[in-house]
Every structure is written in C-alpha cells, then in structure tokens.
Amino acid sequence: MSQRTQFENTCQQLVGKTLGKVEYEEIAYDQSNQITPAQPYYTTRLANVHSLDYAVWLHTTQQDKIEITWDASFYPYGIGVKINQAPSTNDSQKWDVSAHQLWKDCLHGTIQQVKLIWEQVSGNSYPQTLIITFANEQQILIGAAQFLNSHDQKVFGMSDNLIVTNDVALAKTINMISQI
C-alpha cells in the first residue's frame, strides 16, 4: 500500500467520530523566546481565520485524540494527522477553543466526510488542506499555510503553520484552497 493511500486511510478513520473538544497547540515561545506566553497567538485580523504554529487537537466522545499538524511526511510542509499517538512536541501550550465561534457549530457533531486537497510541487504530491464535514453540513478547513505578514490578503502554502477556518468562500479568497 502506498504512503498516500495509508495517509488517506488514516484520515478516513475520523468519519463517524463525534467531536467533544477542540484544542490548539502552539509552540511555547514569545518575542524573547521564553516559554509559556500569557496570550494565544492564533487570532488573525479575520474573525473566523486562525493561524497557529503547531497543531489542532480534536478530542472525540469516543475518547480518541486526533492531532492535525504540519509535517514533512510527503514534502515540507503539508498536513499531518495522527490518531491516539504521543504528542509530537512537549514545548507547547494548549488553548481550549471548543466554545469559539469558529468551532461551536461543529462541537458534538459527527464527522460525516473527510477530504484531502493534494498539491503538486517539484514532481511531489503532498496533502495541503484537510476539509472536515460534519453531519450538520458545517465544515472546518485546516491547511498547512500562513500569512507571511499580518496585512497579507492571501496565505502561502508549504508552511510550518496551520490556517483554520469554517468559511469555504473565505478559504478560496485567501488562497487556502482553489476548489473543493
């Protein structure tokens, strides 16, 4: 079985899971490289777009812990998904975002579909964006991308950063996805 098929099968294991809690994990550093920032860094100028360096944790009511992060499994950098594995980093801080507007309509929802958007670079295919659709038709998009500057209108892929949104039209506008 190819690495791509194995990864897609891992992602499909999310289907049927019910979302109980959502956490963002950020590398624990601040402007002076000291551990434990007092405030999260994930907010952006766009209310329903979050940008974070490192991972999204989905905790299911079935007791699964799903880590979605950027990684270099296929090509630096794409989406990585791990289910019930040890955390990838210890130098981090987690923020419970379950009640945030971006996630509130997905909380306690059952995942109905998972879709990967694959991109090509230098002859290599890598998973750029993960789209999670819940039974109530709400969607969450998580992409390995970032705004290089706070005033940028578009995100840049192949990044050691995640962009998260629940707005498909906005995801297209900011260049997170070109289609679904």
Side-chain angles (χ1 to χ4, degrees):
M1 182 179 312
S2 74
Q3 180 185 11
R4 179 174 172 155
T5 301
Q6 287 177 326
F7 183 68
E8 287 181 348
N9 288 344
T10 296
C11 292
Q12 291 308 310
Q13 290 178 37
L14 279 63
V15 174
K17 304 290 185 186
T18 301
L19 187 60
K21 178 181 174 181
V22 182
E23 291 179 305
Y24 288 168
E25 180 179 15
E26 295 186 292
I27 300 297
Y29 51 65
D30 66 11
Q31 308 293 332
S32 62
N33 290 326
Q34 294 181 3
I35 302 299
T36 314
Q39 298 294 319
Y41 293 121
Y42 63 80
T43 57
T44 69
R45 63 180 171 73
L46 302 169
N48 58 343
V49 174
H50 292 161
S51 175
L52 59 142
D53 183 4
Y54 188 66
V56 175
W57 284 88
L58 305 178
H59 299 263
T60 71
T61 59
Q62 294 87 355
Q63 305 305 309
D64 293 299
K65 292 180 183 176
I66 301 151
E67 179 186 26
I68 303 169
T69 187
W70 52 264
D71 75 8
S73 295
F74 291 89
Y75 193 85
Y77 294 95
I79 289 291
V81 176
K82 296 178 183 174
I83 302 172
N84 297 323
Q85 293 184 23
S88 298
T89 184
N90 293 323
D91 294 334
S92 65
Q93 184 164 349
K94 288 186 180 173
W95 307 96
D96 186 339
V97 295
S98 304
H100 191 280
Q101 181 69 28
L102 195 146
W103 288 96
K104 75 175 186 110
D105 291 336
C106 301
L107 202 61
H108 307 297
T110 301
I111 298 172
Q112 181 178 352
Q113 182 182 35
V114 175
K115 181 176 181 175
L116 285 162
I117 304 293
W118 291 83
E119 297 289 340
Q120 291 283 329
V121 65
S122 302
N124 295 302
S125 183
Y126 72 98
Q128 175 64 44
T129 304
L130 180 70
I131 302 171
I132 302 170
T133 304
F134 291 85
N136 65 357
E137 299 185 12
Q138 295 296 312
Q139 292 184 308
I140 293 291
L141 296 87
I142 305 170
Q146 71 178 331
F147 294 105
L148 296 181
N149 298 294
S150 62
H151 62 277
D152 284 345
Q153 300 298 311
K154 306 245 183 234
V155 296
F156 296 88
M158 295 175 43
S159 177
D160 58 350
N161 193 79
L162 296 178
I163 292 290
V164 182
T165 188
N166 61 355
D167 187 330
V168 174
L170 181 59
K172 289 177 184 177
T173 299
I174 64 172
N175 205 36
M176 185 177 172
I177 57 171
S178 57
Q179 76 223 346
I180 14 183

